[in-house]
C-alpha cells in the first residue's frame, strides 16, 4: 500500500506542479504581452479611437443630411467629438508622441468640421468655439497692423513728473540732513536721486529707501526696516542698516552695511564692503525697533547676480581693515536743508 | 489648446493649481508667499533662482512658483511658463521711478502664448508705505485695461508687510481659476 500511496501522491504532486507551471506560464505570457509597452495599450487605444472617430465623423456628417432636427444632431455630433477628446485625454499618458499628435489633430479637424457644419446649417446661431474663432480673427487683425502698436508706445517717463514721497533730489555740492524722528510721517519711504558731491545724513528709521544716480556722495542713513534699492551710483560711500539691500550699477563705491539678509549686486564693478559704523544718539533704539540690533555678519555675504559661480566675483571685495572708516557719529549734525 | 485642455482635465482630479509669481526685483514676491504661508518674513534674501511652495488653500493645493526678479534672471522666467493656471504680477507701489520698466516687463510677459489662458492677479504691494500709489493709479500706469477682452485680471492693493489684501487677492485668483478649469464643481 505504501509505495502505491506514495506513487499516487507523487503523481498528484506532479500534476499539481504541471498545472501550476502551466498557470504560471500563462500568467507570464499574459503579463508580458500586457507589459510590452508599445504594442497592446496603444493598439487598444487606436482601435477605440478609430471607432470613436468614425462615430464622430458620421455624427458630424449626419448634421448635414438631416436638416429637420438640426439642434439635436449638432449636439450629438458635438458630444461625439467631446467623447473622442476625452478618450485622447485619458490615454495621453501612455501614448507615444506621434500617436498623441495625430489623435489631437484628428480631434481638432473634427471640431472644425463640426463648426463648419454648424455655421452652414444655422449661420446666425452662435456655436462659439472660442479658440477657433480667435484663430480666424487673428489673421484678419494681423493684415492691418496699425491698430495694435499704439497702446504700447505712449507715455514714456511720465511717472517722473509725479515723484511722491520724501527725498533729496537734484542737488550739487550740498550737505543734506534730515531727522525722520522729528516728522510725524510714519512708515514712509525716502528717496535720494540725482545728487552730485553731496553729504547726506538721515537720522531715524524709514520703511524703504530708494537711491538713484549719485556721484561722489557720502551717505549716512539710519535703520531701514524694509528694503533698500540702489541704482547707478559712482565714487560714493554708503553707511546703512537694512533688512534687504539690492545694489545695481554701482562703480567704485564702498558700502558699510548691517543687513539681515544677503546683500546682492548686479552689473557692479569695483564695489567694496565693510561692517556698519554709524552712530547717533538714539541709534541703538532705532536699530532694535527695526530688528537690526545684532550684526548678522551678512555684510560680507554678497551675492553677485552677474557672477553665479563658486569662486569669488571679481566685481566686489572687502574693504581692507586699515582703510575702513572709523565709527561715524552724526549726533551733532544739525538739520539744515529741507527735503522736497 | 488641445494639449492644454487635456492637462487641465488631468489636473482636475487632483484639485491642483499652478501659480507663477513674477515681477520686478524688490517688489515683495517672496515676502508675499511666506506671509500667506504664515512664515517669518523678516529674513529674506533677494531670490537667486526660484522657490517653490505648496500651500493648501481652501480645497485646493496651490503650487506657487516664486521666481527671482533681478534683471539678470528675468530671461529665465520663460522656463516656468508651462502649465501655469494663474499669474501673479507683483508691483512695488512706492517705486514710482521704475513703473515704466514694470509696465514694459509685464506686457512683454503677457505676449507669451503659453500664458494665454491664465488668470492674472496684479498685487499693488507695499500699500502700507506712505506715498505708495493706489491700485487704480497703478492700473492706469501699467495700462491694464488693454487686456480687458482677452484675459481675466484683477488688481488688488496689499501689503506683504502687514498681510493686508493678500487673502483677498488669492481668493479671487483661486475662484477665477477654479471656475475656469474645474467646470464640474
Amino acid at each position: 500500500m505504501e509505495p502505491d500511496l506514495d506513487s499516487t501522491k507523487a503523481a498528484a504532486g506532479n500534476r499539481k506542479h504541471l498545472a501550476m507551471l502551466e498557470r504560471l506560464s500563462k500568467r507570464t505570457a499574459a503579463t508580458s504581452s500586457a507589459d510590452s509597452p508599445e504594442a497592446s495599450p496603444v493598439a487598444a487605444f487606436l482601435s477605440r479611437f478609430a471607432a470613436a472617430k468614425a462615430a464622430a465623423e458620421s455624427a458630424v456628417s449626419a448634421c448635414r443630411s438631416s436638416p429637420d432636427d438640426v439642434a439635436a444632431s449638432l449636439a450629438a455630433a458635438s458630444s461625439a467629438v467631446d467623447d473622442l477628446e476625452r478618450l485622447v485625454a485619458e490615454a495621453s499618458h501612455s501614448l507615444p508622441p506621434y500617436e498623441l499628435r495625430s489623435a489631437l489633430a484628428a480631434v481638432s479637424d473634427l471640431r472644425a468640421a463640426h463648426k463648419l457644419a454648424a455655421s452652414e446649417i444655422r449661420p446666425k446661431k452662435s456655436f462659439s468655439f472660442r479658440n477657433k474663432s480667435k484663430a480666424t480673427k487673428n489673421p484678419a487683425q494681423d493684415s492691418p497692423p496699425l491698430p495694435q502698436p499704439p497702446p504700447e508706445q505712449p507715455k514714456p517717463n511720465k511717472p517722473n513728473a509725479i515723484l511722491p514721497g520724501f527725498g533729496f533730489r537734484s542737488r550739487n555740492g550740498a550737505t543734506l540732513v534730515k531727522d525722520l524722528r522729528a516728522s510725524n510721517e510714519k512708515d514712509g519711504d525716502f528717496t535720494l536721486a540725482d545728487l552730485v558731491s553731496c553729504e547726506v545724513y538721515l537720522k531715524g528709521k524709514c520703511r524703504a529707501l530708494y537711491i538713484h544716480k549719485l556721484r561722489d556722495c557720502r551717505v549716512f542713513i539710519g535703520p531701514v526696516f524694509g528694503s533698500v534699492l540702489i541704482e547707478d551710483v559712482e565714487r560714493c560711500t554708503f553707511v546703512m542698516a537694512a533688512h534687504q539691500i539690492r545694489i545695481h550699477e554701482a562703480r567704485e563705491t564702498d558700502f558699510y552695511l548691517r543687513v539681515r539678509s544677503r546683500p546682492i549686486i548686479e552689473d557692479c564693478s569695483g564695489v567694496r564692503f565693510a561692517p556698519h559704523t554709524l552712530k547717533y544718539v538714539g541709534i541703538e533704539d532705532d536699530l532694535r525697533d527695526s530688528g537690526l540690533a545684532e550684526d548678522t555678519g551678512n555684510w560680507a555675504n554678497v551675492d553677485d547676480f552677474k557672477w553665479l559661480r563658486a569662486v569669488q566675483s571679481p566685481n566686489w571685495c572687502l574693504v581692507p581693515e586699515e582703510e575702513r572708516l572709523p565709527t561715524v557719529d552724526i549726533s551733532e549734525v544739525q538739520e539744515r536743508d529741507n527735503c522736497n | 489648446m488641445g494639449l492644454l485642455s487635456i492637462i487641465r482635465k488631468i489636473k482636475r482630479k487632483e484639485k491642483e493649481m499652478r501659480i507663477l509669481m513674477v515681477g520686478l526685483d524688490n517688489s515683495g514676491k517672496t515676502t508675499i508667499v511666506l506671509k500667506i504661508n504664515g512664515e517669518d518674513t523678516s529674513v529674506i534674501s533677494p531670490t537667486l533662482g526660484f522657490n517653490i511652495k505648496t500651500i493648501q488653500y481652501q480645497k485646493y493645493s496651490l503650487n506657487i512658483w516664486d521666481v527671482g526678479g533681478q534683471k539678470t534672471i528675468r530671461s529665465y522666467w520663460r522656463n516656468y511658463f508651462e502649465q501655469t493656471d494663474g499669474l501673479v504680477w507683483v508691483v512695488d507701489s512706492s517705486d514710482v521711478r521704475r513703473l515704466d520698466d514694470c509696465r514694459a516687463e509685464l506686457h512683454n510677459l503677457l505676449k507669451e502664448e503659453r500664458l494665454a489662458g491664465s488668470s492674472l492677479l496684479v498685487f499693488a504691494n507695499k500699500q502700507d508705505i506712505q506715498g505708495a500709489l493706489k491700485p487704480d493709479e497703478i492700473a492706469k500706469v501699467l495700462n491694464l485695461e488693454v487686456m480687458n477682452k482677452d484675459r481675466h485680471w484683477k488688481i488688488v492693493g496689499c501689503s506683504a508687510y502687514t498681510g493686508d489684501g493678500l487673502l483677498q487677492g488669492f481668493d479671487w485668483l483661486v475662484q477665477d481659476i477654479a471656475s475656469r478649469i474645474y467646470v464640474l464643481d
Side-chain angles (χ1 to χ4, degrees):
Chain A
M1 275 313 263
E2 266 186 49
D4 252 337
L5 228 173
D6 262 354
S7 68
T8 49
K9 249 187 198 169
N14 230 347
R15 248 179 289 133
K16 247 185 194 167
H17 183 69
L18 281 176
M20 190 181 78
L21 276 181
E22 200 178 343
R23 273 207 313 277
L24 267 179
S25 70
K26 253 188 207 156
R27 191 188 296 164
T28 53
T31 53
S32 75
S33 74
D35 270 358
S36 72
E38 299 89 3
S40 105
V42 175
F45 166 77
L46 286 179
S47 68
R48 278 171 66 201
F49 181 78
K53 189 181 165 200
E57 272 168 351
S58 67
V60 169
S61 57
C63 296
R64 295 172 189 259
S65 55
S66 67
D68 338 319
D69 198 3
V70 180
S73 61
L74 275 176
S78 166
S79 78
V81 179
D82 285 345
D83 287 345
L84 192 62
E85 192 169 28
R86 196 172 311 125
L87 193 61
V88 180
E90 280 161 3
S92 62
H93 284 310
S94 55
L95 284 182
Y98 172 75
E99 266 72 18
L100 183 59
R101 234 182 10 248
S102 55
L104 285 172
V107 170
S108 76
D109 284 352
L110 272 169
R111 277 247 185 270
H114 171 256
K115 193 194 155 216
L116 190 68
S119 64
E120 276 174 15
I121 294 166
R122 9 172 235 187
K124 286 284 146 123
K125 202 79 177 180
S126 64
F127 240 89
S128 64
F129 289 90
R130 219 177 282 149
N131 305 320
K132 284 295 183 297
S133 71
K134 214 182 246 171
T136 51
K137 226 191 285 167
N138 277 345
Q141 279 181 349
D142 284 349
S143 53
L146 288 177
Q148 287 288 31
E152 300 241 349
Q153 288 164 352
K155 41 180 173 180
N157 298 331
K158 215 174 193 174
N160 283 347
I162 44 153
L163 281 169
F166 272 111
F168 297 122
R169 298 184 176 85
S170 305
R171 301 299 183 86
N172 195 332
T175 299
L176 308 164
V177 186
K178 174 82 182 165
D179 194 335
L180 294 168
R181 297 168 297 183
S183 66
N184 294 324
E185 307 290 345
K186 279 172 83 184
D187 291 11
D189 58 328
F190 204 89
T191 301
L192 305 176
D194 301 297
L195 305 181
V196 181
S197 306
C198 289
E199 304 238 326
V200 180
Y201 302 96
L202 211 57
K203 292 186 233 177
K205 302 170 289 176
C206 68
R207 167 81 171 77
L209 178 66
Y210 300 95
I211 295 176
H212 182 233
K213 238 183 208 173
L214 266 55
R215 299 287 180 271
D216 304 294
C217 291
R218 284 157 59 85
V219 179
F220 304 91
I221 290 185
V224 181
F225 57 106
S227 66
V228 178
L229 180 64
I230 301 173
E231 238 175 69
D232 191 7
V233 297
E234 207 167 327
R235 296 180 306 277
C236 296
T237 301
F238 291 92
V239 182
M240 57 177 61
H243 284 201
Q244 279 191 334
I245 298 180
R246 292 175 174 84
I247 303 165
H248 303 158
E249 298 162 47
R251 294 164 298 276
E252 320 301 325
T253 293
D254 289 351
F255 295 90
Y256 293 77
L257 304 180
R258 174 178 295 181
V259 54
R260 286 187 69 113
S261 57
R262 300 167 70 94
I264 71 111
I265 61 173
E266 189 174 36
D267 301 313
C268 292
S269 61
V271 296
R272 305 192 300 173
F273 292 86
H276 188 244
T277 57
L278 185 66
K279 274 236 164 355
Y280 57 80
V281 175
I283 193 173
E284 299 302 332
D285 293 342
D286 284 347
L287 284 169
R288 198 185 51 245
D289 294 349
S290 309
L292 287 160
E294 285 170 38
D295 190 353
T296 57
N298 270 336
W299 60 270
N301 296 329
V302 181
D303 284 329
D304 184 351
F305 274 66
K306 282 288 182 182
W307 192 264
L308 303 175
R309 311 179 203 181
V311 288
Q312 166 68 31
S313 155
N315 300 321
W316 70 274
C317 62
L318 304 183
V319 183
E321 289 206 28
E322 63 276 13
E323 282 184 42
R324 287 182 192 166
L325 285 180
T327 299
V328 184
D329 192 330
I330 62 171
S331 304
E332 301 304 314
V333 185
Q334 293 304 313
E335 193 153 343
R336 66 179 97 164
D337 205 324
N338 288 330
C339 58
N340 41 16
Chain B
M1 206 52 192
L3 193 53
L4 254 182
S5 60
I6 287 169
I7 290 160
R8 297 222 162 97
K9 279 171 183 167
I10 293 167
K11 270 206 259 181
R12 181 166 61 205
K13 292 172 193 143
E14 301 156 16
K15 298 275 186 205
E16 199 175 87
M17 294 177 181
R18 181 170 149 133
I19 294 180
L20 180 64
M21 306 265 304
V22 274
L24 298 193
D25 48 317
N26 197 35
S27 54
K29 298 176 287 297
T30 308
T31 310
I32 287 176
V33 175
L34 294 191
K35 189 77 181 179
I36 209 165
N37 205 27
E39 293 177 49
D40 177 25
T41 58
S42 69
V43 186
I44 298 174
S45 292
T47 306
L48 217 174
F50 64 92
N51 309 306
I52 311 173
K53 271 257 180 288
T54 301
I55 294 177
Q56 289 304 321
Y57 194 89
Q58 298 166 0
K59 54 185 171 172
Y60 304 102
S61 158
L62 306 188
N63 260 322
I64 303 185
W65 292 67
D66 159 32
V67 189
Q70 300 296 327
K71 200 185 272 172
T72 312
I73 55 178
R74 283 177 210 161
S75 52
Y76 298 100
W77 285 354
R78 63 178 71 251
N79 300 347
Y80 304 90
F81 291 164
E82 223 59 71
Q83 304 176 26
T84 295
D85 298 310
L87 201 57
V88 180
W89 180 262
V90 186
V91 183
D92 176 351
S93 311
S94 65
D95 188 2
V96 181
R97 188 178 62 79
R98 294 202 302 165
L99 279 181
D100 280 334
D101 281 357
C102 181
R103 181 182 58 240
E105 291 285 358
L106 174 62
H107 286 280
N108 202 16
L109 183 78
L110 295 178
K111 278 187 218 145
E112 178 59 47
E113 208 173 305
R114 284 172 290 171
L115 297 174
S118 54
S119 313
L120 171 70
L121 169 66
V122 179
F123 265 136
N125 193 20
K126 308 202 187 180
Q127 289 295 320
D128 61 298
I129 296 184
Q130 197 126 41
L133 292 189
K134 296 282 165 284
D136 52 333
E137 296 172 299
I138 298 278
K140 212 170 283 170
V141 179
L142 295 186
N143 206 9
L144 294 180
E145 68 270 26
V146 295
M147 57 192 169
N148 277 345
K149 276 187 206 151
D150 39 38
R151 188 184 296 277
H152 291 193
W153 66 272
K154 185 180 178 73
I155 185 163
V156 174
C158 75
S159 163
Y161 186 70
T162 64
D164 287 345
L166 296 182
L167 290 180
Q168 189 200 341
F170 271 91
D171 279 347
W172 174 82
L173 185 65
V174 167
Q175 284 314 314
D176 190 72
I177 295 170
S179 65
R180 204 156 36 75
I181 66 178
Y182 302 130
V183 274
L184 299 182
D185 286 358

